[in-house]
Amino acid sequence: VALVIVGGDGRLRVAAEPAFVQRLLHLLGGVADATHAADLLGLSPFVETNGDLFGHWQHLAGQPDPGLDGWSQRHLDQLAILEAEAPAATVGSDLLHVDVRTDNTILANAGPGGDVLVDWPGASLGAAWVDLVGLLPALELDGGPPPWDVLPLAPTARGADPDAVDAFVVALAGYFTRMSLLPPPPGLPNVRAFQAAQGEIARAWTARRLRLG
């Protein structure tokens, strides 16, 4: 077993700063372009390594939870149908981090070329826009702009199939919504509140994209 530590001359930034958002989007584009690194690592597809992100609306449709919010209850059947398309929608050959958040990002003092993402336990291969969609609820929660304002600005979202993005946004909303209703795991008493807050944002994003008032 070996432990390697590399020092980085940089810092975390406040998500509300427009310059931070632009650099973060640029960094995601660089990750998606690193196909040579993905080939060398022999990574597995996103749908195989992160299968626990899918199927939560379907689970709630089969086993209703009394704590489920009213909007989700009203649209549960439609959400479960759309969610079923998400695994196929996320297939691709781009390198994915899978857990992009502001606290996993270090912006280099020397400039964008030195920016890095840390904490890669979920690294896999998929559509380039998957990391972006997964980030945006947390970005708004950290004080950044809402997802629908950021998505059109991102290089990794250009050319993305809107229906594919819809399916994954729905699945992500289902994941955060259902997980927030479960008891907290041992040693992580605050994680459910964090998931509930992201779920609220993801549901609002879903409602906006699908025109489900």
Side-chain angles (χ1 to χ4, degrees), residues 54-80:
F54 303 109
H56 294 278
W57 291 124
Q58 297 169 67
H59 184 96
L60 287 168
Q63 300 182 32
D65 190 300
L68 191 62
D69 64 281
W71 180 88
S72 298
Q73 291 180 21
R74 292 194 299 274
H75 301 291
L76 189 54
D77 290 341
Q78 183 176 356
L79 294 170

Side-chain angles (χ1 to χ4, degrees), residues 8-196:
D9 184 16
R11 65 183 181 94
L12 301 175
R13 301 293 176 94
V14 178
E17 296 177 0
F20 171 88
V21 175
Q22 289 294 333
R23 284 182 68 167
L24 189 51
L25 297 181
H26 176 79
L27 178 56
L28 288 182
V31 170
D33 289 340
T35 54
H36 61 287
D39 291 339
L40 290 173
L41 291 170
L43 297 175
S44 299
F46 172 77
V47 293
E48 294 180 8
T49 59
N50 298 275
D52 59 344
L53 285 174
F54 303 109
H56 294 278
W57 291 124
Q58 297 169 67
H59 184 96
L60 287 168
Q63 300 182 32
D65 190 300
L68 191 62
D69 64 281
W71 180 88
S72 298
Q73 291 180 21
R74 292 194 299 274
H75 301 291
L76 189 54
D77 290 341
Q78 183 176 356
L79 294 170
I81 291 171
L82 290 172
E83 175 188 53
E85 302 173 8
T90 59
V91 171
S93 57
D94 294 294
L95 176 63
L96 298 177
H97 179 282
V98 180
D99 195 21
V100 181
R101 300 192 310 269
T102 57
D103 57 319
N104 282 338
T105 307
I106 298 176
L107 299 190
N109 292 331
D115 295 345
V116 295
L117 288 175
V118 299
D119 194 5
W120 286 76
S124 55
L125 300 176
W129 49 263
V130 167
D131 268 344
L132 174 68
V133 170
L135 159 72
L136 294 184
L139 185 66
E140 181 178 354
L141 190 59
D142 282 345
W148 46 87
D149 284 349
V150 180
L151 188 72
L153 306 176
T156 54
R158 292 172 188 157
D161 180 355
D163 292 337
V165 175
D166 285 347
F168 187 55
V169 172
V170 168
L172 195 68
Y175 170 78
F176 285 131
T177 299
R178 178 172 171 254
M179 297 304 290
S180 71
L181 299 173
L182 300 177
L188 295 171
N190 300 319
V191 69
R192 298 310 184 206
F194 181 57
Q195 290 169 333

